[in-house]
Amino acid sequence: MILNHLNLTVTDVSTAKEFLLNYFGLQIGGERGQSFAALFDDNGMVLTLMQGTEVNYPKTFHIGFILENEEKVNELYQRLKDDGFDVTPPQRAHGWTFYVKAPGGFTVEVLA
């Protein structure tokens, strides 16, 4: 069995969508106004974003993107940092990894 769908409630669908399209290469699958967007990854995983007024994910909640190697992680870290996101440098944990707070109220882990 393959997990192929995940829904996130976000405070701003448009900015969360643009963040995921711009930095993580997701593709638009469909939209309904400003309150819903369906995004697809390269393997057909569907990530939906739904508008919510209060988003309170648990402290450790996050979604993750596994990149090909440490160089790709470093490149994305630098790009996010250069674009003004508050990211701590990658570190060795359960791989080469860093976390970034995404627009809309959720956290993303990037690792190799």
Side-chain angles (χ1 to χ4, degrees):
M1 205 174 295
I2 298 172
L3 176 66
N4 58 15
H5 174 67
L6 178 66
N7 179 74
L8 295 176
T9 301
V10 297
T11 57
D12 187 325
V13 170
S14 181
T15 58
K17 174 191 72 174
E18 291 304 319
F19 176 80
L20 292 165
L21 296 174
N22 191 24
Y23 295 101
F24 297 97
L26 298 182
Q27 309 276 323
I28 294 277
E31 297 179 272
R32 275 185 256 146
Q34 297 293 315
S35 64
F36 175 86
L39 308 174
F40 292 88
D41 74 3
D42 293 340
N43 293 318
M45 164 75 167
V46 181
L47 177 63
T48 55
L49 305 173
M50 297 180 104
Q51 184 70 40
T53 55
E54 291 185 36
V55 175
N56 295 305
Y57 287 110
K59 182 178 179 182
T60 59
F61 177 84
H62 63 279
I63 64 171
F65 291 89
I66 300 174
L67 303 183
E68 297 87 2
N69 55 52
E70 292 179 7
E71 182 180 331
K72 296 285 187 189
V73 171
N74 293 339
E75 288 171 4
L76 186 53
Y77 160 78
Q78 192 62 53
R79 190 170 156 216
L80 287 160
K81 184 177 176 185
D82 290 348
D83 288 349
F85 288 92
D86 183 21
V87 291
T88 55
Q91 61 183 338
R92 187 109 13 239
H94 48 280
W96 188 241
T97 185
F98 71 89
Y99 294 84
V100 60
K101 187 75 166 183
F106 61 99
T107 299
V108 176
E109 179 182 14
V110 178
L111 72 142

